[in-house]
Amino acid sequence: MSSVGSPWNDPIPIGKISEPPFVRLPDPNTLFKARAARFRLLCDGHTLAPYLQLLALLSDIEHRLQDGLAEPEMPARDAIEQAREFGMPPLDRSSFTADVAFNATLNRLLTLARDIDMPEPAHAALARTTSAQAAARDAMVRAVLTDAIPVEALADHLFMAAALQVHFARRAARLDGRLVPVGDGACPACAAPPVSSAVVGWPGAENTRFCVCSLCGTLWNYVRIKCTLCGSTKGITYRQVEQSDGLVRAETCDTCRGYVKILQQQENPALDPVADDVATLALDLLLRDLGYRRGAVDPFLLGY
Ligand SMILES: [Zn+2]
Ligand SMILES: [Zn+2]
């Protein structure tokens, strides 16, 4: 496996401080490349191997399509300042409007995805998304951005979600990193919920935990042994499937009966918040049997 740089930027020289930074912005130049590599590694002997392989190819496309892409539109500087002042996310997903860069991102992704070797239902979903008219595409964007993807159309929204991930990661990467908390379970950049969380091993932040945005890939610091969904510190338990290596566990909360996965990245930096979430579907099935609600969002986790 070829090595790539860290998928997250350092907005602050963290070697010079003793406290972890509140946020780490994504680096879209490495984020999707590293994810593709992780998906490939997870394929080995996995019952979901064909699907993980498809997502590896889709992640490759998310990386490749950025070459020469137009600059995404950003809010005005004073709007970003105002958002900070009022504890609001500067790239609030609910106020998203498509710009030239997003339309190019989506069109490139849909074109490149035609070459992916995938099962017929996925090809049909791609064809439907490609031929969708503007109003239908807008509805798909809204469904992804409000976590309201219809169960019967999960595959159709896969490509739209991938394009939105790229676009929001590119926008988040252009922020200056001076973000403020906007509430439990919400990304300080775009307000989307976490896909998972990770205990990291970066110098200056060892063994601290970060939530990972399901949309823009921003990481935000969040204390450990605390529900990332409701903020409760009571009744927190860590669960894993039998015979797992324990690197991906579920942090369950008895206050809200929800859970979000927690990755031990300090033990294996290659763990990816999205790829390892998809690859541990068995853990979600266990938690469902135990009566816990999945609080994380991951449009790649089909069939859950
Ligand atoms: Zn975000
Ligand atoms: Zn909770």
Side-chain angles (χ1 to χ4, degrees), residues 26-42:
D27 179 0
N29 296 315
T30 54
L31 182 64
F32 302 104
K33 191 175 179 183
R35 182 161 301 157
R38 183 61 182 165
F39 269 125
R40 275 201 182 87
L41 201 68
L42 288 166

Side-chain angles (χ1 to χ4, degrees), residues 227 230 253 256:
C227 177
C230 76
C253 170
C256 69

Side-chain angles (χ1 to χ4, degrees), residues 227-232 236 253-258:
C227 177
T228 56
L229 303 169
C230 76
S232 173
I236 304 293
C253 170
D254 284 343
T255 302
C256 69
R257 298 296 294 175

Side-chain angles (χ1 to χ4, degrees), residues 168 172 187-193 213-218 220:
F168 271 84
C187 169
C190 75
C213 178
S214 56
L215 180 62
C216 75
T218 291
W220 69 96

